[in-house]
Amino acid sequence: MAAYDELMAHERETQALAQVAGRLSWDQETVMPRGAAEQRSEESGAMEAVLHARRTDPRVGDWLAAAEAPDDVGEAQLRQIKRAHDRARKVPAQLATALARLTSRSQGIWAAARVADDFAAFAPTLEEVVRLKREEAAALAETGTLYDALLDDFEPGATAAMLETMFDDMRPGLVQLRKRALEGAAAEGVSGDFPADTQLAFARDLAARFGYDGTRGRLDLAVHPFSSGSGDDVRITTRTAADDPFNCIYSTIHETGHACYEQGIDPAFRLTPLGQGVSMGVHESQSRIYENQLGRSPAFCHWLFGEMRERFGDIGVADEAAFYRAVNRVHRGYIRTEADEVQYNLHIMLRFDLEKALVSGDLAVRDLEAAWNDRFETDFGYKVDRAANGVLQDVHWSVGLFGYFPTYSLGNVYAGCLHKALREAVPDIDGHLQRGDPGPATRWLHENVQRHGGRYPPREVITRACGGEEPSAGPLMSYLADKFCALYPG
């Protein structure tokens, strides 16, 4: 047991330092002074150097060789530590540090280029990010493609080939649903006076209603909403738009799903490899089921309609049915995070194909904007109007998150499976949602998914929660067809 105990003590310190590094990123995206970008780059690089040294410490290998797991949880801890140690050893320390410095600096350059609608101002930095990520992928890759090596960071066990098959199966049904909806009667949006401070107050109330513990977190504003941290310090961000309160409402519910996953993990796993979400696909399943299957359901919209009129007054829709259509309206648009459920995965497929081409070398960064615009027009039927609504809209590539995008769609697939199982397990869920109470649903998700943290592999987590049924796109596609064929009858 001595080797196991020493290894776990080392790992807890490493995990604690990783949380500090995460706080640097949170600060950078929320309250950091604009002039601090260069210094923050050095700070991030220094932290990554320390973390990389700890993860590649030769003692970790010795401890792993000698350690005896006390139980099945201990076996899962050793499995996760070995995986992280093996991957870290393959990446040279100089490369890991250079990537941390570059992506910290790159984020600010991307943000400025986005405001200016100037991809050319960002392209040289992105070229350097892609170059270093390809170096990292080459160091990591043993079998499969360079892209698979990066994807494995976010969704262990997934491959590009597996995702391509899934996307090819989903695409025809999504395109057909989109065509049906866009050719149908257009749903009205909401209108009225939506003060930012009222939106934020409502956002905090919604987060609490969905189970977020504000004593172990906080809600702030960010350009690109995100969740950060784990255990007893889990922070979320949202954004407001004067003419679109749904942006704030559903960004908040979405990030609350992520945060509740992290807050809900068994406290015994805190500051260990099991003390965080097992993959981004499983993580996204929580945010998407909170946002969509629960938050956009007819039952929850019944409560939300009355609550919004009480808080904002006249919201420009006549009745509950019109409000439900407004929440779920299928509409033309450029922005992934604002896309409806029907079109969201088509946005992901575009990014998946383009980033695969960047990593493989089949697409040069200098040609990325044109490739994006061409693909968007092909997939959506209209031209991108400006770079901020196109290739510059997402932060991910600026911070080196290649392989992250497809986990959003995988999360939707997982959410579809979980929603089917949830409905069978909690048959009276709609009665609670009509009263603005998602508690029975979120408690089921906590018990069946969230508390396990990283204990089980990603697909096993979903399979266990779904009573042994392997995850597939079928439940999601059935849910979407039922919902949107009813909203847009042919």
Side-chain angles (χ1 to χ4, degrees):
M1 287 293 290
Y4 179 84
D5 291 341
E6 290 177 12
L7 175 59
M8 292 306 298
H10 177 88
E11 184 64 24
R12 284 189 179 90
E13 289 186 357
T14 303
Q15 292 286 338
L17 288 168
Q19 291 296 313
V20 174
R23 225 90 72 221
L24 286 176
S25 296
W26 170 86
D27 176 86
Q28 182 170 349
E29 294 197 51
T30 53
V31 296
M32 186 187 81
R34 290 178 59 189
E38 286 297 326
Q39 179 173 318
R40 180 55 47 86
S41 173
E42 291 299 314
E43 292 166 355
S44 297
M47 283 297 299
E48 181 56 36
V50 170
L51 286 166
H52 190 270
R54 292 187 64 86
R55 289 165 178 155
T56 59
D57 190 324
R59 292 178 301 169
V60 174
D62 295 338
W63 286 324
L64 281 167
E68 295 182 6
D71 50 29
D72 60 342
V73 170
E75 289 175 0
Q77 299 279 20
L78 293 178
R79 182 179 67 246
Q80 294 281 28
I81 294 171
K82 184 178 188 306
R83 167 184 156 78
H85 180 62
D86 289 346
R87 285 181 70 83
R89 287 175 58 205
K90 294 174 184 176
V91 179
Q94 185 177 3
L95 174 58
T97 303
L99 266 168
R101 287 192 180 120
L102 174 62
T103 53
S104 177
R105 182 169 56 86
S106 172
Q107 184 179 6
I109 296 170
W110 160 79
R114 183 174 180 267
V115 170
D117 275 315
D118 186 1
F119 177 71
F122 175 55
T125 305
L126 182 58
E127 285 180 351
E128 184 65 8
V129 173
V130 171
R131 183 183 71 80
L132 292 184
K133 292 302 291 186
R134 295 186 83 244
E135 285 187 30
E136 181 186 40
L140 290 168
E142 292 180 345
T143 60
T145 65
L146 295 183
Y147 188 80
D148 284 347
L150 299 179
L151 173 63
D152 199 60
D153 251 348
F154 306 106
E155 196 65 26
T159 66
M162 179 194 84
L163 294 170
E164 287 163 2
T165 299
M166 181 181 77
F167 290 162
D168 287 346
D169 289 343
M170 293 170 64
R171 188 189 300 272
L174 294 172
V175 170
Q176 184 178 1
L177 272 179
R178 182 185 66 189
K179 183 174 185 293
R180 177 191 185 112
L182 292 178
E183 289 179 352
E188 295 292 330
V190 296
S191 61
D193 183 23
F194 306 106
D197 56 349
T198 308
Q199 289 189 47
L200 283 174
F202 191 25
R204 290 187 170 90
D205 290 347
L206 282 168
R209 188 170 289 274
F210 275 84
Y212 181 59
D213 181 356
T215 68
R216 297 190 291 147
R218 53 181 291 136
L219 184 148
D220 294 272
L221 290 172
V223 173
H224 195 110
F226 67 99
S227 175
S228 173
S230 65
D232 286 335
D233 191 344
V234 184
R235 308 180 185 194
I236 59 176
T237 63
T238 191
R239 61 186 173 200
T240 64
D243 61 346
D244 181 13
F246 293 151
N247 199 314
C248 180
I249 288 169
Y250 287 102
S251 290
T252 301
I253 296 174
H254 180 100
E255 299 307 333
T256 297
H258 283 304
C260 286
Y261 187 5
E262 293 293 336
Q263 288 186 335
I265 295 170
D266 189 332
F269 300 163
R270 194 155 300 151
L271 295 180
T272 77
L274 306 190
Q276 54 200 324
V278 70
S279 76
M280 290 315 304
V282 177
H283 236 301
E284 197 65 19
S285 76
Q286 301 307 284
S287 61
R288 297 298 280 180
I289 198 171
Y290 275 49
E291 176 191 355
N292 292 327
Q293 282 91 342
L294 301 180
R296 297 183 193 272
S297 67
F300 191 73
C301 284
H302 167 82
W303 173 84
L304 187 62
F305 176 57
E307 191 71 13
M308 286 191 66
R309 287 196 300 175
E310 183 174 325
R311 289 175 182 259
F312 298 107
D314 182 13
I315 59 174
V317 291
D319 54 36
E320 187 179 318
F323 179 78
Y324 175 63
R325 283 175 60 83
V327 167
N328 291 284
R329 69 191 184 102
V330 178
H331 57 93
R332 289 162 56 107
Y334 305 104
I335 305 300
R336 171 186 63 86
T337 57
E338 298 172 7
D340 52 78
E341 290 181 82
V342 171
Q343 298 184 88
Y344 185 90
N345 292 304
L346 297 173
H347 285 272
I348 296 303
M349 293 172 192
L350 178 154
R351 289 155 176 77
F352 173 61
D353 289 340
L354 291 179
E355 71 176 14
K356 275 194 306 166
L358 285 171
V359 171
S360 70
D362 292 337
L363 176 63
V365 169
R366 65 177 177 272
D367 299 322
L368 176 60
E369 182 173 24
W372 178 295
N373 292 346
D374 289 345
R375 172 65 181 269
F376 187 90
E377 185 174 5
T378 297
D379 283 5
F380 292 89
Y382 46 95
K383 295 179 182 292
V384 173
D385 61 345
R386 57 194 183 96
N389 284 338
V391 70
L392 288 177
Q393 69 178 267
D394 292 302
V395 70
H396 300 61
W397 291 336
S398 74
V399 292
L401 298 180
F402 290 88
Y404 191 120
F405 275 124
T407 67
Y408 287 122
S409 283
L410 191 56
N412 282 332
V413 168
Y414 289 164
C417 299
L418 291 171
H419 181 238
K420 177 184 174 185
L422 168 61
R423 287 274 172 188
E424 293 170 354
V426 190
D428 61 342
I429 183 175
D430 284 335
H432 292 276
L433 290 172
Q434 283 181 339
R435 298 189 293 274
D437 176 20
T442 57
R443 285 192 289 273
W444 185 91
L445 290 166
H446 169 263
E447 179 65 23
N448 289 278
V449 178
Q450 296 166 4
R451 68 184 178 93
H452 299 305
R455 184 174 179 179
Y456 305 113
R459 288 179 65 86
E460 184 178 342
V461 172
I462 305 303
T463 301
R464 282 173 171 268
C466 295
E469 187 173 338
E470 289 276 342
S472 72
L476 173 67
M477 296 304 294
S478 294
Y479 156 79
L480 292 174
D482 290 346
K483 179 174 184 174
F484 287 95
C485 285
L487 279 166
Y488 295 92

